Amino acid sequence: MSEADGLRQRRPLRPQVVTDDDGQAPEAKDGSSFSGRVFRVTFLMLAVSLTVPLLGAMMLLESPIDPQALSFKEPPLLLGVLHPNTKLRQAERLFENQLIGPESIAHIGDVMFTGTADGQVVKLEDGEIETIARFGSGPCKTRDDEPVCGRPLGIRAGPNGTLFVADAYKGLFEVNPWTREVKLLLSSETPIEGKKMSFVNDLTVTQDGRKIYFTDSSSKWQRRDYLLLVMEGTDDGRLLEYDTVTREVKVLLDQLRFPNGVQLSPAEDFVLVAETTMARIRRVYVSGLMKGGADLFVENMPGFPDNIRPSSSGGYWVGMSTIRPNPGFSMLDFLSERPWIKRMIFKGKQKKSYSVFCLEGGDYLNLCPGASPCGQGVFLTCT
């Protein structure tokens, strides 16, 4: 046999471990396996004991909302003219950190007027802020104070140098900004066709000041509960007409889901109304051959519309409460077809203690005391 053949026939010896307790290894292995099974069973029983009561409680707890399933088209692509930009970051900031929640803005000459979250109508002139009207009373420190304090929202300048103001809780007012005289035109406590106005929102006025077109966002939910209104998709909002001469009120369009901003056309032949929950703007004809008719002015918008105001070019400025990113993920679009998720979120929540719903880009629908901008698609609890 050659040396090479001998090397090929040699087999490597496998190392062997020799112990004194040669028969104890299987026992140790079996003991370890038994301990693992005990841990897994214990963990499973603990998880079940916690989950089952929690699910049971969730089933028994009532939800303050009864969400409706809504269907949306795929949001338009944010390309071309819809491509996001940063132009608003270049805007000049006026009265920064001096106003609390200014909503609508009106102007008479160079003087501006707005309503704030602490229940005031203020005049902004020469860098100074001056309160000219309050429709309520109280400390006006929290959202729960709003029904007593009042919350001025829509505001427009009339033809006689007065202001027309929509207060979410109090109704429609006419304010003389020079004499401070306040006149109640229509109280929210007045039932309109058998329904109370719970959320008076925006208004628009004819050039002669006779007709006021305004929105009542809901007969069920108040402004402080607007998150519940959005999540429920309630269709009890209305567009109304108030005649300042006859004091008559008419319902022009009902069964709207969160009607918000309104704007009368330059020819005063139609009124636009933003239907926030449905991401669209409706058009209602108030004069001419089409009077009494209604149609869609624009639908499937790239965001959920809020206020509407005329532009100098003949079009309209529309403020969006939040966008519907595409490409991207829209949480509100996702939840719209899943009412059971919304119902579970608000289980056991009271009107004045509910979740902060954070939107894309760190925006949020409801700002509770102490809450801060949060991450995408996150729910925070506010008490």
Side-chain angles (χ1 to χ4, degrees):
M1 179 182 299
S2 65
E3 183 177 355
D5 293 337
L7 289 174
R8 280 195 298 270
Q9 291 183 8
R10 293 176 184 172
R11 300 179 182 275
L13 296 177
R14 296 180 179 178
Q16 295 182 356
V17 179
V18 180
T19 63
D20 293 335
D21 302 323
D22 192 41
Q24 299 299 319
E27 289 186 17
K29 182 178 180 180
D30 291 342
S32 175
S33 177
F34 176 75
S35 299
R37 287 197 299 270
V38 170
F39 173 78
R40 287 194 295 271
V41 171
T42 303
F43 180 80
L44 181 60
M45 292 180 64
L46 180 62
V48 171
S49 65
L50 294 176
T51 303
V52 171
L54 179 61
L55 291 176
M58 293 297 288
M59 294 298 292
L60 293 175
L61 288 175
E62 294 185 1
S63 175
I65 62 174
D66 181 20
Q68 307 299 313
L70 306 176
S71 179
F72 289 94
K73 296 179 181 178
E74 180 182 349
L77 292 172
L78 299 184
L79 302 175
V81 295
L82 295 180
H83 190 274
N85 60 66
T86 59
K87 291 183 179 180
L88 287 180
R89 296 181 184 176
Q90 303 169 16
E92 181 183 358
R93 296 174 181 266
L94 305 176
F95 301 95
E96 188 172 9
N97 299 323
Q98 300 179 60
L99 298 170
I100 304 174
E103 174 76 10
S104 177
I105 298 175
H107 67 89
I108 300 176
D110 295 331
V111 183
M112 294 189 298
F113 303 89
T114 188
T116 58
D118 53 356
Q120 302 182 72
V121 178
V122 298
K123 179 175 71 172
L124 310 173
E125 184 180 17
D126 297 329
E128 299 293 329
I129 302 174
E130 184 179 354
T131 301
I132 61 172
R134 294 191 68 166
F135 307 134
S137 61
C140 308
K141 294 181 179 180
T142 69
R143 190 180 300 269
D144 291 332
D145 296 328
E146 287 189 357
V148 175
C149 180
R151 179 56 167 107
L153 294 177
I155 182 171
R156 302 281 185 148
N160 300 319
T162 61
L163 300 171
F164 293 100
V165 185
D167 187 285
Y169 301 90
K170 306 298 183 180
L172 299 181
F173 292 84
E174 184 176 7
V175 178
N176 188 318
W178 321 114
T179 66
R180 314 294 175 84
E181 180 184 357
V182 175
K183 179 182 179 181
L184 175 63
L185 300 178
L186 179 65
S187 171
S188 293
E189 299 296 327
T190 303
I192 307 300
E193 296 189 3
K195 290 184 177 180
K196 179 184 175 181
M197 296 183 294
S198 295
F199 188 170
V200 179
N201 199 322
D202 195 21
L203 78 169
T204 184
V205 186
T206 56
Q207 294 180 17
D208 61 6
R210 175 165 181 172
K211 298 285 184 69
I212 299 175
Y213 302 98
F214 67 100
T215 49
D216 175 30
S217 296
S218 176
S219 60
K220 175 181 179 181
W221 300 109
Q222 294 182 324
R223 198 212 76 90
R224 58 177 174 167
D225 301 316
Y226 73 94
L227 177 60
L228 301 180
L229 171 59
V230 172
M231 289 290 108
E232 187 174 60
T234 315
D235 63 346
D236 63 344
R238 298 177 292 179
L239 172 68
L240 304 102
E241 173 191 285
Y242 175 77
D243 191 312
T244 58
V245 175
T246 65
R247 299 185 178 181
E248 293 179 344
V249 185
K250 297 179 182 178
V251 177
L252 301 183
L253 197 63
D254 59 5
Q255 294 184 323
L256 297 173
R257 287 185 165 89
F258 202 164
N260 204 329
V262 287
Q263 179 59 50
L264 185 63
S265 70
E268 300 191 349
D269 56 339
F270 63 81
V271 175
L272 300 179
V273 53
E275 197 173 7
T276 300
T277 301
M278 300 305 296
R280 65 190 181 191
I281 295 176
R282 304 283 291 272
R283 175 168 51 189
V284 180
Y285 295 91
V286 294
S287 67
L289 297 176
M290 298 286 289
K291 183 177 180 179
D295 58 15
L296 283 175
F297 185 72
V298 58
E299 62 177 331
N300 197 33
M301 300 183 72
F304 297 93
D306 196 327
N307 279 341
I308 309 174
R309 295 296 183 267
S311 71
S312 59
S313 62
Y316 300 92
W317 291 105
V318 180
M320 299 290 180
S321 57
T322 187
I323 64 169
R324 303 167 64 206
N326 187 17
F329 175 73
S330 172
M331 179 63 76
L332 288 181
D333 283 59
F334 173 79
L335 291 175
S336 65
E337 297 181 356
R338 297 165 177 83
W340 62 273
I341 296 180
K342 294 188 285 187
R343 187 177 293 107
M344 291 292 289
I345 291 170
F346 291 96
K347 282 279 189 177
K349 299 292 183 181
Q350 301 299 321
K351 290 183 180 181
K352 63 180 180 180
S353 175
Y354 45 79
S355 298
V356 178
F357 179 62
C358 302
L359 303 168
E360 296 80 10
D363 295 327
Y364 40 91
L365 284 178
N366 177 46
L367 180 59
C368 297
S372 59
C374 42
Q376 180 173 340
V378 178
F379 292 95
L380 302 178
T381 299
C382 167
T383 57

